[in-house]
Amino acid sequence: RQPDYSFGDCFDDDDDSSQPGSSKKKRKKRKNKNKRSELMAIVEEFDSKKRENRLNRFREFYATDNAGGKKNKKYMKKAKNRGYVLTGDLALDWEKLKIVGTCETLEKNYFRLNCAPEPEKVRPQRVLEKTYAMLLDKWKTDKDYPYTNDQFQSMRQDLMIQNIRNEFAVKTYETHARIALECGDMFELFKCLRQLKYLYSIKGEHRTNYAEFMSYKLLYLTLTEHKLDLVPFLRCELTPNDRKNPAVRFALDVYQAVSGGNWVLFFRLYKNAPLLCKPIMDKMADGVRLHALIAAAKGYRMLKVPVSYLTRTLNFETDSACVQFMVECGAALNDDQTELLPKQCTNLHPPEREEEDDEDKVRKGGLRVHSNNS
């Protein structure tokens, strides 16, 4: 009979005394490990219950496949495109809820929904129309953007809850987009443009200002360099008839100037910007100017570039403003700050601004620049 060299149960993890060389340190380590595993099990159980409660909330209104009890992926994709409120992995369908508001209050602060609202807290369309007129009057006199933005967000929420997608809804989103654009809020502009895309697709009579907002969308995509959205927009959304519109044609020219690095054409277009295109182009200006400085540092390496020439080319009002911008970008100037020294401009970078949080960066936008000018 062969000898049994297996150790069997000599080294049992649960019995520290049977292990050779066992110590208090190892026993304490195992004990802490068991405590951590118990805590993790409690946390996972709590999270699973929380997720289950969240998914069971308003189960009757969720988009599900009645035949198999599984989520209808096609319907879910359609619901997301239409801007339905998402809870967990499911969509809350406002068409099935059929909420009709009864609130008579004109002003109401915006708050994010986490459940279906009560009709007493939702304003019907006739009240929203009065609120719309009141907000326009206040905006013309006070120009208080935080207040106006909050009230328009609340209006848009009430429109979505009641499934109102008529001409008044289009007018509300268009007005909010113009006010946000006027104040340089790119974040709210993007949200309005996204919903307007769907509202314009419902009925043709709502497309009165379609070309105007398509030009804003093209300028916004140029500013943020969203290539995944920009390419489908240029190839699919813009029809040949849309491209003939002056506003869309202008936005296409700006896109070509920015993508091609033609800062002379960009600032020539900037001076004649139609509608509210200039606020978006203001966000692009610093990036275009930095591209021009990098090109000057490479092309005029052995020469000196007069600041007065750069002031005219880069569309600055004064030489001092041009000098300040170049100093913020790390450009090298002569002693009296009248000439740019391209050979010494080895580390050009975007202008240094005060630190902003992520939401402010999204709201204000900005053209990304690769400052590798070596």
Side-chain angles (χ1 to χ4, degrees), residues 106-117:
L106 294 182
E107 297 178 84
K108 190 184 75 170
N109 293 332
Y110 170 77
F111 61 93
R112 190 178 298 275
L113 292 176
N114 56 10
C115 62

Side-chain angles (χ1 to χ4, degrees), residues 335-371:
D335 295 336
D336 55 356
Q337 295 186 336
T338 58
E339 292 178 331
L340 175 70
L341 306 178
K343 192 173 182 179
Q344 301 180 21
C345 297
T346 58
N347 188 25
L348 293 174
H349 53 78
E352 296 180 357
R353 309 294 186 191
E354 294 182 359
E355 291 187 359
E356 304 167 345
D357 56 16
D358 293 338
E359 186 175 352
D360 288 339
K361 290 179 182 179
V362 174
R363 285 184 176 275
K364 295 181 180 179
L367 191 65
R368 294 190 295 272
V369 178
H370 304 286
S371 57

Side-chain angles (χ1 to χ4, degrees), residues 140-350:
K140 292 177 182 178
T141 56
D142 300 336
K143 297 291 183 179
D144 186 358
Y145 179 70
Y147 165 79
T148 306
N149 180 52
D150 180 74
Q151 294 298 315
F152 265 103
Q153 282 183 310
S154 179
M155 283 186 62
R156 285 162 38 191
Q157 189 180 69
D158 289 348
L159 290 171
M160 182 185 65
I161 290 171
Q162 300 174 91
N163 196 29
I164 299 175
R165 299 166 185 168
N166 52 17
E167 187 176 356
F168 174 71
V170 174
K171 184 171 65 173
T172 301
Y173 277 93
E174 289 179 347
T175 304
H176 192 189
R178 291 190 183 101
I179 293 175
L181 187 53
E182 187 177 342
C183 296
D185 191 345
M186 300 293 110
F187 185 68
E188 289 299 328
L189 172 66
F190 172 71
K191 291 197 293 185
C192 292
L193 290 175
R194 185 174 56 184
Q195 186 64 15
L196 282 172
K197 176 185 176 181
Y198 169 66
L199 293 174
Y200 286 145
S201 65
I202 297 176
K203 291 184 179 180
E205 59 265 21
H206 298 162
R207 296 165 60 97
T208 305
N209 300 315
Y210 175 80
E212 175 188 354
F213 287 91
M214 287 302 99
S215 65
Y216 297 155
K217 183 174 182 179
L218 178 54
L219 290 175
Y220 173 82
L221 294 176
T222 304
L223 168 67
T224 55
E225 297 181 349
H226 284 172
K227 294 183 180 179
L228 293 178
D229 296 331
L230 183 58
V231 174
F233 177 78
L234 292 172
R235 292 184 177 181
C236 304
E237 290 190 40
L238 284 183
T239 63
N241 291 331
D242 294 335
R243 294 172 183 269
K244 296 178 182 179
N245 184 275
V248 177
R249 183 69 259 171
F250 174 84
L252 287 170
D253 291 340
V254 172
Y255 165 71
Q256 293 175 357
V258 172
S259 60
N262 190 342
W263 57 87
V264 176
L265 175 60
F266 175 84
F267 288 111
R268 188 183 302 162
L269 293 169
Y270 176 84
K271 295 178 181 179
N272 301 315
L275 302 172
L276 290 173
C277 295
K278 190 167 286 188
I280 307 181
M281 296 181 70
D282 285 334
K283 305 292 183 183
M284 306 180 194
D286 283 354
V288 174
R289 286 164 177 158
L290 181 56
H291 276 298
L293 285 179
I294 294 173
K298 291 180 179 180
Y300 302 104
R301 199 162 188 81
M302 305 304 296
L303 302 175
K304 297 180 180 179
V305 184
V307 172
S308 58
Y309 168 75
L310 294 174
T311 301
R312 295 192 306 270
T313 305
L314 303 182
N315 197 40
F316 284 104
E317 295 182 358
T318 60
D319 290 348
S320 60
C322 182
V323 169
Q324 181 181 357
F325 175 79
M326 289 190 291
V327 170
E328 291 176 351
C329 293
L333 301 169
N334 60 356
D335 295 336
D336 55 356
Q337 295 186 336
T338 58
E339 292 178 331
L340 175 70
L341 306 178
K343 192 173 182 179
Q344 301 180 21
C345 297
T346 58
N347 188 25
L348 293 174
H349 53 78

